[in-house]
Amino acid sequence: MGKVTGFMEFERLEEGYRPVDERLKHYKEFVVALDDEQAKVQGARCMDCGTPFCNNGCPVNNIIPDFNDLVYRQDWKNAFAVLDSTNNFPEFTGRICPAPCEAACVLNVNDDAVGIKSLEHAIIDRAWAEGWVKPRPAKHKTGKKVAVVGAGPAGMAAAQQLARAGHDVTLFEKNDRVGGLLRYGIPDFKMEKSHIDRRVEQMKAEGVVFRTGVVVGAAKDALGKGSKVTNLAKETVTPEQLQAEFDAVLLTGGAEQSRDLPAPGRDLDGIHFAMEFLPQQNRVNAGDKVKGQLRADGKHVIVIGGGDTGSDCVGTSNRHGAASVTQFELMPMPPEEENKPLVWPYWPYKLRTSSSHEEGCEREFAISTKEFMGEKGKVTGLKTVHVEFKDGKFVEVPGTEKTYKADLVLLAMGFVSPVSPVLEAFGIEKDARGNAKATVDFNGGYATNVPKVFAAGDMRRGQSLVVWAIREGRQAARAVDEFLMGFSDLPR
């Protein structure tokens, strides 16, 4: 694949970033994509490795060596055809996926992996620019009707696949716009929302009907603490209505219940979930007016949680003009380089520094918040202590207590389960983590205990990646198609 000796001749080329002082002035994407020649060189590095672990490292099983080779040969149109065959939305994953495919790259055993994500990004952007991304409406309709509940990446992928199979698909979304966490969780500087909008237009042309502002199976005011919904839905639809009107129902909502931190002083003003903070800025960017927007201007911000959501809070706070930003992580600081012989081809445990961290952030590891301090009902600081993991639990390290000044505290410690009571309304059994219980077996995959009701995405598997959501949406679409027709030509 690629150039036979390319992996020995060429070094990995990284996508670039606009300067920090420039990108902090706006909320637009700032990644500098590879040009054609750089992409060709990156494609040339793909080895004829025999067993492409990257293909299995990728949750949607992208046919990576093939599109790498086609980019090397500058056959962009066929590279897009290969990429499009396995991934409904490469412009999403090419921007925000952490690229487990690269961790699994054979070249990554003792060198730098092929820049697969950057090539995916280049291919799909070229495809949109050239007009190769077109609607693919079904040639024949089945007469079957499917309701998909939740218009995040899992629901969008499932709806598109089912529409292409000839079913009449209605996609329900409780927010006022389509996209789920992509729309109201991921900051615009990581992924501009125009990428979602043009996919929505493509899906409409393929026959998908979108109904936004609709909560399924819950009262309008029962959306849960920490929900990313900031504008309450305008309409409620009951499970009985969906089951009567549609031949199958697929639940693809997210795992949106934010993990809380019940330390003393938690009720002080100025302590918020990340998903109260991030969606508001995205709405402002979209032109909405948000009354009483949470902002970090001139404030000392503490972000509790060291993952991607926490990093997004860091980047947004810096763009607001925060006086300082500090990010806490309970786990100890990982090594800067992974032990490749030990972990390859799996996701490595190592220190990851995001573009938001590079824009300005102090990072504290192995630290726990003991108490929120405040005056006149408002948070003014935190009492912390360093911890270490012993005998299966975290224990405090004596003499490490410290106080941090804080005007705004953002809780970004992950998500634990679906937030709205849609599962209870349908009577769906849950697993031990509170997610919808449904297997991924070939026979009857993604089916719940309720007849003709299926579940996929984060609502089924728990908090995960966008690429896993797309995979589950595609696989669930095939399962629903088989249920309705007795067989399916959709790829699994």
Side-chain angles (χ1 to χ4, degrees):
M1 309 305 299
K3 186 177 182 182
V4 175
T5 57
F7 70 96
M8 296 185 290
E9 298 177 32
F10 305 119
E11 295 182 355
R12 175 185 169 99
L13 295 173
E14 298 280 358
E15 293 180 316
Y17 294 148
R18 298 291 181 191
V20 170
D21 59 348
E22 174 187 324
R23 69 193 196 225
L24 283 179
K25 297 175 182 178
H26 59 75
Y27 292 89
K28 297 184 181 297
E29 294 176 11
F30 53 80
V31 171
V32 181
L34 303 182
D35 62 29
D36 286 4
E37 187 58 34
Q38 291 172 327
K40 179 178 180 178
V41 169
Q42 194 61 230
R45 297 184 70 238
C46 188
M47 306 167 66
D48 187 7
C49 59
T51 302
F53 284 81
C54 58
N55 176 255
N56 286 329
C58 172
V60 293
N61 301 121
N62 278 335
I63 311 171
I64 294 165
D66 294 54
F67 70 62
N68 284 346
D69 182 55
L70 289 163
V71 170
Y72 166 64
R73 300 178 190 283
Q74 298 290 278
D75 187 352
W76 290 93
K77 191 168 187 179
N78 278 321
F80 164 65
V82 171
L83 178 58
D84 185 62
S85 70
T86 57
N87 188 349
N88 294 69
F89 313 119
E91 62 270 40
F92 301 167
T93 52
R95 285 169 167 79
I96 59 175
C97 182
C101 55
E102 294 185 14
C105 174
V106 171
L107 189 56
N108 194 46
V109 172
N110 61 353
D111 202 344
D112 293 326
V114 175
I116 300 165
K117 178 180 174 180
S118 64
L119 293 181
E120 182 176 9
H121 186 181
I123 292 167
I124 189 58
D125 280 10
R126 180 69 169 266
W128 278 107
E130 297 286 351
W132 298 332
V133 185
K134 299 180 182 297
R136 301 208 305 268
K139 294 180 180 179
H140 305 285
K141 303 292 284 186
T142 64
K144 301 291 186 179
K145 298 174 66 177
V146 182
V148 180
V149 181
M156 290 179 67
Q160 184 167 62
Q161 293 295 96
L162 288 165
R164 290 174 175 178
H167 305 303
D168 292 321
V169 181
T170 302
L171 185 52
F172 294 87
E173 168 58 42
K174 64 179 178 289
N175 280 296
D176 57 350
R177 296 181 179 94
V178 170
L181 199 65
L182 290 171
R183 174 76 66 178
Y184 288 127
I186 304 296
D188 289 46
F189 56 79
K190 288 177 66 174
M191 195 191 84
E192 294 175 20
K193 307 318 172 201
S194 58
H195 304 299
I196 304 173
D197 295 335
R198 61 187 178 185
R199 281 296 182 182
V200 169
E201 292 306 310
Q202 180 198 31
M203 292 170 65
K204 286 180 178 177
E206 293 171 342
V208 177
V209 175
F210 292 87
R211 290 183 59 184
T212 56
V214 180
V215 170
V216 174
K220 296 179 185 178
D221 57 352
L223 296 175
K225 189 177 182 181
S227 170
K228 70 178 188 295
V229 181
T230 54
N231 288 353
L232 294 182
K234 299 176 182 178
E235 181 184 354
T236 301
V237 174
T238 67
E240 292 76 17
Q241 288 174 296
L242 292 186
Q243 290 167 307
E245 183 178 349
F246 295 91
D247 299 293
V249 178
L250 174 59
L251 305 178
T252 54
E256 301 169 282
Q257 183 63 59
S258 298
R259 182 174 283 110
D260 208 345
L261 182 58
R266 170 63 180 88
D267 57 346
L268 290 167
D269 187 29
I271 304 171
H272 301 275
F273 289 108
M275 296 312 298
E276 295 175 83
F277 176 70
L278 295 172
Q280 292 188 356
Q281 186 59 56
N282 285 8
R283 288 188 178 279
V284 171
N285 295 344
D288 294 352
K289 292 183 179 180
V290 178
K291 186 177 181 180
Q293 182 192 357
L294 296 175
R295 292 192 58 88
D297 312 65
K299 296 179 180 178
H300 296 282
V301 180
I302 301 290
V303 179
I304 301 179
D308 289 339
T309 303
S311 172
D312 294 342
C313 290
V314 170
T316 302
S317 296
N318 281 327
R319 281 161 179 75
H320 283 181
S324 68
V325 183
T326 306
Q327 186 176 22
F328 289 175
E329 169 56 56
L330 182 65
M331 302 298 292
M333 182 176 176
E336 292 193 9
E337 295 292 334
E338 73 269 34
N339 186 338
K340 289 186 176 183
L342 178 66
V343 300
W344 181 88
Y346 301 108
W347 187 246
Y349 177 66
K350 67 176 182 179
L351 180 66
R352 302 177 191 278
T353 301
S354 72
S355 58
S356 292
H357 294 140
E358 294 170 351
E359 293 165 1
C361 175
E362 294 295 324
R363 303 171 74 182
E364 294 288 345
F365 294 89
I367 190 169
S368 176
T369 301
K370 296 189 69 174
E371 181 184 352
F372 298 104
M373 302 181 301
E375 294 178 4
K376 298 179 180 179
K378 294 185 178 182
V379 68
T380 58
L382 292 82
K383 290 183 180 179
T384 67
V385 65
H386 280 281
V387 294
E388 58 184 1
F389 199 69
K390 284 185 177 180
D391 301 323
K393 61 181 180 180
F394 286 101
V395 295
E396 297 183 1
V397 178
T400 61
E401 293 81 3
K402 187 176 179 180
T403 299
Y404 286 83
K405 180 176 176 58
D407 307 303
L408 176 63
V409 179
L410 300 172
L411 306 180
M413 301 173 294
F415 308 90
V416 294
S417 62
V419 70
S420 64
V422 61
L423 299 182
E424 292 89 338
F426 275 93
I428 291 172
E429 291 181 3
K430 300 179 184 179
D431 63 17
R433 297 186 298 164
N435 300 315
K437 188 175 181 180
T439 68
V440 294
D441 298 336
F442 278 91
N443 295 322
Y446 295 92
T448 69
N449 61 298
V450 179
K452 76 177 188 180
V453 178
F454 298 76
D458 286 7
M459 181 173 276
R460 189 203 69 84
R461 67 176 284 118
Q463 177 191 2
S464 192
L465 306 176
V466 168
V467 67
W468 272 105
I470 295 172
R471 171 196 170 108
E472 294 233 337
R474 287 171 63 89
Q475 290 191 344
R478 179 183 172 93
V480 171
D481 191 34
E482 286 180 332
F483 167 75
L484 294 173
M485 308 304 294
F487 68 96
S488 179
D489 291 327
L490 291 174
R492 192 176 192 276

